[in-house]
């Protein structure tokens, strides 16, 4: 299970202080009272920040029409995942202010909208001491937001704040607004706190409510639904069989598509394509819509493979089909499958249909004016095969020489770069793999020459030879590290930390089961969530996970 470290407990403790401090300022503004701080003891529990799942949670609470806050504190990526970064990072004072502003904005736009209140609340307060209505209106929302029952003391604090604000402002609706800010600004909403209970010897197992949280945010990236909470209340999530049954139900729900795709979006860094920075003189096809379209292509392919086909994960790399719109079809120089939007199409070249032929990968693993064999090779080695690439030595010039008459192609320039013994050790692992994709330029267009010279895209990956993107895709799909690496990456994402010593057997079992079950992602997810590793926690570990070691040139 997850171990909490100093970063975890500090994030929880500091955010609670910041949250209560913000509530104190609101109380002072509303009631001219002194600021009150709630001090929480150090718990050592794991605390996982919900953002960006916070956005989905706000939609679950207030409906799809709620205007979401435009900006929160940027997420930290660790071990290649924001989920791991959220588990070890702390909330800064500025971050607390942004959460406070967001809570106020959401509360104002919903609670002061009469139509929204009529549609979502059982009552509208008529007096500045209407604690009954405030309780009826706010308590169900607060319990949904916190994913548990509120204690009597917590309910009293929420209603006290509502009454103070309503009394000073002479506005019963202000009670709804500040009562809502109370539970939205609280760490109980912003974090998942997982402690577990002792059931067998000294082993701690997650409670039903904690398992409901873990399943909901892993599989849906949203709040638990009533069926999941009921299963937790009835003790069905206390067993591996009960967890698997709920996970099967959840994977059949449309919300699972967004949740599972969020894992792949993190794994493949898809958001990097949102704003592509390319020189338009070199790449005249670059537009503001190309990056989002490239992301959509990859997401649709993943969704089709994982959910519609329940297919073999390895096919992602050498399949001959993909989803394209007219802009991407023009970039790839293939017929558009639909006049409007995206359509599924079959391609003659599996090297283009597979993941490594997508602009979402090719354009983001390139420079503004050129390709990068290094960046593309790093992705294959670290994200797909879980191999470690050391960081470059301090002070070493890692830049590749510029193109010249004697060094016209990237392969020529890489060969010159590899003559430097300070660079050759690592770059021999990365660059030859990336050179296999040189027939795709820095934005994803196909090409056969560079500076008038025919491109040589041959090479080898861990003893397997390839010649160009199509055969490289096959080599990757057949690489023995591929299934185990996906199992390890999913484990890391789900746990909010990388695997620890002593978990090798569980990872090996997940990998073997994944292979035996025809490399189906849904099967891997079900095996993971019903495993002891996902259901069991452990005492806090004083050492937080190491940072992401991906290096780029």
């Amino acid at each position: 299970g997850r171990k909490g470290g100093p970063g975890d407990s500090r994030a929880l403790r500091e955010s609670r202080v910041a949250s209560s401090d913000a509530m104190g300022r609101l109380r002072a503004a509303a009631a001219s009272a002194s600021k009150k701080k709630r001090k929480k003891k150090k718990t050592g529990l794991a605390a996982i920040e919900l953002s960006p799942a916070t956005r989905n949670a706000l939609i679950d609470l207030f409906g799809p029409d709620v205007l979401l806050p435009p900006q929160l504190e940027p997420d930290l990526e660790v071990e290649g995942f924001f989920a791991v970064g959220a588990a070890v990072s702390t909330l800064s004072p500025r971050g607390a202010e942004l959460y406070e502003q967001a809570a106020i904005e959401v509360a104002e736009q919903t609670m002061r909208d009469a139509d929204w209140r009529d549609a979502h609340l059982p009552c509208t307060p008529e007096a500045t001491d209407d604690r009954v209505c405030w309780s009826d209106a706010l308590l169900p929302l607060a319990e949904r937001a916190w994913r548990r029952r509120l204690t009597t003391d917590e309910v009293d604090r929420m209603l006290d704040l509502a009454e103070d604000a309503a009394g000073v402002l002479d506005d019963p609706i202000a009670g709804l607004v500040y009562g809502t800010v109370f539970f939205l600004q609280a760490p109980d909403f912003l974090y998942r706190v997982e402690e577990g209970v002792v059931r067998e010897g000294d082993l701690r197992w997650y409670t039903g409510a904690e398992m409901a949280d873990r399943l909901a945010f892993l599989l849906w990236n949203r709040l638990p639904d009533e069926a999941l909470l009921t299963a937790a209340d009835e003790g069905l999530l206390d067993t591996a069989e009960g967890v698997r049954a709920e996970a099967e139900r959840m994977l059949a729900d449309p919300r699972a598509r967004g949740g599972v795709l969020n894992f792949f979006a993190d794994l493949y860094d898809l958001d990097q394509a949102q704003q592509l920075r390319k020189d338009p003189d070199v790449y005249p096809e670059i537009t503001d819509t190309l990056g989002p379209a490239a992301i959509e292509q990859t997401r649709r392919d993943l969704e089709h493979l994982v959910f519609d086909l329940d297919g073999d994960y390895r096919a992602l790399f050498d399949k001959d089909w993909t989803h394209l719109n007219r802009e991407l079809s023009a970039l790839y120089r293939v017929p558009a499958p639909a006049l409007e939007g995206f359509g599924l199409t079959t391609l003659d070249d599996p090297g283009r249909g597979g993941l490594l032929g997508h602009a979402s990968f090719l354009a983001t693993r390139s420079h503004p004016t050129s390709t990068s064999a290094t960046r593309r090779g790093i992705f294959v080695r670290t994200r797909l095969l879980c191999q470690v690439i050391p960081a470059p030595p301090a002070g070493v010039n890692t830049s590749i020489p510029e193109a010249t008459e004697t060094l016209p192609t990237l392969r020529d320039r890489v060969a010159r770069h590899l003559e430097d013994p300070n660079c050759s050790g690592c770059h021999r692992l990365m660059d030859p793999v990336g050179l296999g994709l040189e027939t795709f330029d820095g934005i994803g267009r196909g090409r056969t020459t560079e500076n008038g010279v025919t491109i040589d895209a041959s090479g080898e990956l861990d003893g397997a030879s390839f010649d160009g993107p199509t055969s490289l895709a096959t080599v990757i799909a057949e690489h023995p590290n591929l299934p185990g690496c996906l199992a390890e990456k999913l484990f890391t994402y789900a746990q909010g930390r990388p695997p620890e010593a002593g978990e090798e057997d569980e990872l090996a079992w997940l990998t073997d089961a994944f292979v035996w079950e025809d490399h189906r992602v849904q099967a891997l997810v079900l095996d993971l969530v019903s495993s002891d590793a996902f259901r069991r926690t452990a005492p806090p570990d004083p050492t937080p996970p190491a940072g992401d070691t991906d290096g780029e040139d």
Side-chain angles (χ1 to χ4, degrees), residues 209-411:
E210 290 167 347
M211 281 302 302
D213 254 12
R214 289 170 68 76
L215 288 172
F217 286 105
L218 173 62
L219 301 183
W220 289 349
N221 208 28
R222 307 185 80 103
L223 295 174
D225 66 356
E226 285 301 321
L228 188 56
L229 294 175
T230 299
D233 290 340
E234 294 177 352
L236 299 179
L237 302 185
D238 294 341
T239 67
E241 295 76 15
V243 169
R244 191 179 186 93
E246 276 302 300
E248 289 174 343
R249 174 186 72 84
M250 296 174 71
L251 283 176
D253 188 286
R255 286 171 286 189
R257 298 184 175 225
V260 174
L261 288 182
N262 191 71
F263 158 67
F264 283 106
D266 262 12
L267 177 60
Y268 300 148
D269 282 334
L270 293 185
D271 283 347
Q272 287 190 14
Q274 282 288 355
Q275 294 180 325
L276 294 176
R277 294 179 174 85
K278 300 293 178 180
D279 186 335
D281 292 333
V282 179
Y283 304 113
E285 293 89 347
I286 189 66
T287 65
D288 291 339
T289 58
L290 182 62
I295 294 173
E296 186 66 15
Q297 176 197 5
T298 304
R299 290 181 66 90
R300 283 174 180 258
D301 281 12
L302 283 163
E303 181 178 351
H304 187 58
L305 178 65
V306 173
F307 289 97
D308 298 334
L309 303 179
D310 193 17
D312 189 322
Y313 167 68
R314 298 172 300 176
L316 179 65
F317 303 98
D318 59 2
K319 57 186 176 58
D320 63 355
W321 54 264
T322 191
H323 293 79
L324 299 176
N325 66 357
R326 294 177 66 183
E327 184 174 25
L328 289 174
S329 297
L331 181 71
Y332 299 160
R333 302 187 183 102
V334 298
L339 291 177
E340 299 293 337
F342 280 78
L344 179 63
T345 187
T346 301
L347 304 174
D348 294 332
D349 181 9
R352 172 62 83 180
L355 175 68
L356 301 187
H358 290 195
S360 63
F361 162 73
L362 295 166
T364 57
R365 262 65 189 185
S366 296
H367 298 296
T369 61
S370 64
T371 59
S372 173
T374 302
R375 291 181 176 183
R376 293 173 178 182
I378 286 174
F379 180 90
V380 171
R381 291 283 189 184
T382 62
R383 296 300 175 104
L384 303 182
L385 305 179
C386 290
Q387 296 173 341
V388 177
I389 303 294
V396 172
N397 181 9
T398 62
S399 60
I400 303 292
E402 295 292 329
T404 65
E405 289 186 3
T406 58
L407 301 173
T409 69
L410 182 59
R411 178 176 291 274

Side-chain angles (χ1 to χ4, degrees), residues 55 71 110 121 130 142 155 187 195 224 296 305 308 322 334 367 408 410 426 434 446 463 493 501 514 517 520 525:
R55 293 175 176 266
Q71 180 183 8
T110 54
L121 301 183
D130 195 347
V155 173
E195 181 178 14
E296 186 66 15
L305 178 65
D308 298 334
T322 191
V334 298
H367 298 296
L410 182 59
C426 296
Y493 176 83
F514 182 40
E517 292 167 321
R520 293 182 299 112
V525 170

Side-chain angles (χ1 to χ4, degrees), residues 18-35:
S19 176
S20 56
D21 187 36
M23 290 299 98
R25 294 200 305 275
L26 290 172
R27 185 188 293 266
S32 299
S34 61
K35 182 166 61 178

Side-chain angles (χ1 to χ4, degrees), residues 473-492:
T474 300
V475 167
I476 292 172
E478 296 175 353
H479 197 288
N481 283 24
L482 187 72
C485 186
L486 186 69
E488 179 180 330
K489 295 295 188 182
L490 182 62
F491 183 97
T492 299

Side-chain angles (χ1 to χ4, degrees), residues 9 36 79 91 169 248 261 305 329 461 508 513 536:
S9 59
K36 298 182 179 180
E79 296 289 338
L91 190 63
L169 298 176
E248 289 174 343
L261 288 182
L305 178 65
S329 297
L461 172 60
R536 183 187 66 233

Side-chain angles (χ1 to χ4, degrees), residues 132-166:
V132 173
C133 180
W134 291 325
S135 178
D136 291 344
L138 296 175
L139 189 55
L141 286 172
E143 291 184 339
R144 182 89 199 280
W146 290 8
R147 306 166 309 280
R148 64 170 176 81
R149 301 295 183 193
L150 271 66
T151 66
T152 300
D153 178 63
E154 289 166 341
V155 173
D156 288 342
R157 289 207 311 272
M158 180 174 67
L159 297 181
D160 287 346
L161 178 57
E163 188 170 5
D164 285 352

